[in-house]
Every structure is written in C-alpha cells, then in structure tokens.
C-alpha cells in the first residue's frame, strides 16, 4: 500500500510536539499530505442545560454569559496558538500549509482542521479522530506514556477502521527510516503490519525481522516466507529468533528494538480476541503503554 494521507489528531488539553514532529517527519519521507485535526472541548452547559450558543441565539443574558464568553475566548486562543505552532513546524521543514480555499490532499502539504468534542470524556475525542481517520492512510498518535487520549484514538482506529497507526515517541531521536525492526509472529495482523510498513521499508537503510520464541526452529519457516515477501518488493532484511528468558514478549521486543537501535518498530496489533486483550493485557497493550523511546507502526 502507499501512504499519501496522514492524520494527526490534536486534543487541545495536551502538548503535541511529539505527534506533530512524527507526522511531518513521515510526510517528508513519504511525500504525503498531513492534516492536523484540532479537537476542542465542548462548550460549557449552564443552568437548565442551556449552553452559550443557545443564549446567543435567544437573546437571553444572565450573569453566566461573562464567564462563558471568557471561556470561549480562551478556547479560541488555545486553538490559534496551536495552529501557529503547527504552521511554524511545517515551515521549519519546508512543508507548505494550505489555505482554507486550497484543495486538500496535495502531496507534501499540510492543512489545519478544527472540530468540537461532544462531551468532556476522552472517548469523545477518540470518536472524532476515528471517524476522520477512515479517510486517511495513516493515523499518528502517541504512546500512553505521553497521553491517554491519543492512546484511546490509536486503539479505536486499529479496531474500527483498521487503519495503521504510527505511535510517536516522547522525542524523535533518529531518522524514521534509518533502521526498521519487524516484530514477527506470523499472525494475519503481523502480515498486515508488514504490508502497511512497505513504504517505510523501501526507504530504510536496514531491516531486521525479530521473533520471540524459545524454539528457534518454530519460526524459521515463517521468517523465510516474510523474507521472500520483502524481497519481492526489493527489500532485503535479516532475521533472528530471540528467547524471552524471564521477560514478557513485549519487553523482549522492546529490548531487541533497543539493541538494534531501531528507528521504527513494526508490529501487528490485537492478534487475540478483544475480550482477552482487555482481561489479560497482551503484547499490543504493553507496547502502547511503554513504547515511548521510538516510533512504533501498528496494524491489525
């Protein structure tokens, strides 16, 4: 698959430097269009469930209007400041910002879009992001170590739209395509992740396939299959099997990524049932919570 449209949701309560840097870095590498989706909190309700927009249209004025107007002004200021930071980040790496009248989706350009959450809970932010993600090839989010709201958006995008998700680290330390590591377990989700990662793998200087298993011979045949698949795309890679020892599979994969100095980790998501993942945790949830050191590409 090609990646030509990238979405980066920006709930207004968080600092988004990591996600913006990741989105623009990916766009620059792939020649893709980026949309920043800024999600504001809902307007505050007042007595009787009447909100500020209803007051404005009905002409009623109460002592509540002053504080609500101040809140609205502050919210607008936060959105303007966020847009300016995004525009500066685009300018710093020569990605043009489209105006409101320009046609969206032009390669290697960026645009700004604003939306309003329907309710205060983080689930509302995730719903908006996931609905919009259906029209894009890739969603940028942050690991839970950075922000809970974007972890929710990442999980729901994987589960509902099946769009790949690129998790931004706390700080981008290497070029995204220096070295790519594939966490290989031969599941359908892992094959989907490899397919989604082809645009990055084609640009990578090195690629490594790592499986976690106590039985080395158990993974060799499937590793040979994925090596052949990559070769058909003009991509060469090395493969190895790592025993977990006393560590979990998730910790073993993250340790291997550190050992190989991987600039991007590729893995499948939710290969077990959703109920089992919720009850027992699982490798995907572990990586979502702990992968703050390097970018992680997840697909399902």
């Amino acid at each position: 698959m090609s990646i030509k449209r990238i979405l980066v949701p920006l709930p207004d309560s968080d600092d988004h430097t990591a996600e913006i840097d990741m989105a623009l870095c990916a766009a620059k590498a792939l020649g893709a269009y980026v949309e920043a989706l800024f999600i504001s909190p809902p307007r505050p309700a007042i007595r009787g469930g009447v909100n500020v927009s209803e007051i404005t249209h009905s002409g009623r004025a109460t002592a509540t209007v002053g504080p609500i107007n101040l809140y609205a002004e502050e919210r607008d200021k936060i959105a303007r400041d966020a847009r300016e930071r995004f525009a500066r980040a685009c300018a710093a790496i020569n990605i043009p910002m489209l105006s409101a009248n320009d046609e969206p989706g032009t390669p290697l350009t960026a645009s700004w879009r604003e939306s309003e959450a329907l309710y205060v809970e983080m689930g509302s932010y995730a719903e908006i992001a996931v609905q919009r993600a259906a029209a894009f090839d890739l969603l940028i989010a942050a690991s839970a170590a950075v922000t809970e709201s974007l972890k929710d958006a990442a999980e729901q995008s994987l589960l509902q739209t099946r769009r790949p998700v690129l998790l931004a680290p706390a700080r981008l330390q290497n070029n995204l395509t220096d070295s790519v590591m594939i966490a290989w377990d031969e599941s359908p989700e892992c094959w989907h992740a490899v397919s989604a990662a082809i645009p990055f793998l084609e640009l990578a200087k090195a690629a490594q396939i790592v499986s976690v298993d106590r039985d080395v011979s158990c993974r060799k045949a499937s590793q040979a299959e994925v090596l052949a698949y990559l070769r058909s795309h003009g991509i060469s890679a090395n493969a190895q099997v790592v025993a977990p020892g006393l560590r979990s599979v998730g910790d073993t994969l993250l340790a291997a990524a550190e050992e190989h100095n991987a600039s991007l980790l590729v893995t499948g998501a939710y290969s077990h049932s959703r109920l089992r993942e919720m009850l027992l945790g699982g490798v995907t949830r572990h990586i979502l919570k702990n992968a703050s050191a390097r970018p992680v590409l997840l697909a399902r």
Side-chain angles (χ1 to χ4, degrees):
M1 65 169 285
S2 62
I3 297 175
K4 293 301 177 185
R5 287 171 61 86
I6 298 173
L7 178 69
V8 53
L10 307 174
D12 84 322
S13 58
D14 302 304
D15 173 61
H16 303 296
T17 302
E19 300 94 277
I20 290 172
D21 287 349
M22 184 81 271
L24 297 182
C25 178
K28 194 78 171 180
L30 301 171
Y33 159 74
V34 179
E35 179 180 285
L37 175 62
F38 186 82
I39 307 172
S40 298
R43 298 166 188 255
I46 61 172
R47 287 192 300 270
V50 180
N51 63 34
V52 65
S53 61
E54 291 171 332
I55 290 175
T56 302
H57 288 104
S58 67
R60 283 181 288 170
T62 70
T64 315
V65 174
I68 289 181
N69 284 340
L70 290 175
Y71 175 85
E73 290 174 5
E74 178 62 21
R75 193 179 69 161
D76 290 344
K77 181 180 183 301
I78 291 172
R80 285 196 307 272
D81 290 345
R83 187 186 189 284
E84 289 173 5
R85 286 194 298 272
F86 180 68
R88 287 196 299 270
C90 291
I93 59 172
N94 299 315
I95 294 182
M97 274 278 287
L98 299 175
S99 68
N101 296 324
D102 291 331
E103 182 179 347
T106 308
L108 199 53
T109 55
S111 68
W112 181 264
R113 185 185 184 97
E114 295 185 17
S115 187
E116 181 179 308
L118 298 177
Y119 47 90
V120 176
E121 287 77 6
M122 286 303 177
S124 178
Y125 293 86
E127 286 175 12
I128 292 170
V130 170
Q131 287 173 2
R132 187 66 186 151
F136 288 78
D137 301 313
L138 179 68
L139 181 136
I140 306 295
S143 70
V146 181
T147 168
E148 187 71 18
S149 60
L150 285 179
K151 179 184 75 71
D152 291 341
E155 288 186 330
Q156 292 308 310
S157 182
L158 287 166
L159 291 168
Q160 294 183 29
T161 70
R162 298 217 167 185
R163 293 294 188 266
V165 170
L166 184 58
L167 298 181
R171 185 169 63 88
L172 192 60
Q173 301 183 36
N174 300 306
N175 189 303
L176 186 60
T177 56
D178 279 347
S179 174
V180 177
M181 186 187 115
I182 299 168
W184 179 251
D185 67 359
E186 67 191 87
S187 66
E189 293 80 9
C190 196
W191 276 110
H192 295 161
V194 172
S195 177
I198 290 295
F200 295 103
L201 287 161
E202 288 175 336
L203 299 172
K205 298 174 183 175
Q208 186 79 23
I209 297 167
V210 176
S211 299
V212 178
D213 204 310
R214 288 183 173 83
D215 184 357
V216 174
S217 62
C218 179
R219 297 291 182 186
K220 287 296 185 180
S222 68
Q223 284 189 338
E225 285 290 334
V226 73
L227 286 171
Y229 175 82
L230 293 175
R231 282 196 299 272
S232 71
H233 286 274
I235 299 163
S236 61
N238 298 313
Q240 71 174 127
V241 180
V242 179
L246 298 177
R247 294 181 295 198
S248 68
V249 173
D251 279 333
T252 304
L253 289 171
L254 292 174
E258 181 68 27
E259 179 183 342
H260 289 290
N261 195 28
S263 56
L264 175 64
L265 173 61
V266 176
T267 182
Y270 297 113
S271 57
H272 302 297
S273 73
R274 177 60 173 159
L275 178 61
R276 184 177 177 188
E277 289 287 348
M278 291 174 67
L279 294 176
L280 302 180
V283 176
T284 304
R285 187 170 292 275
H286 182 85
I287 289 175
L288 280 169
K289 288 182 177 179
N290 295 285
S292 59
R294 71 194 71 253
V296 179
L297 182 68
L298 291 157
R300 181 174 184 268

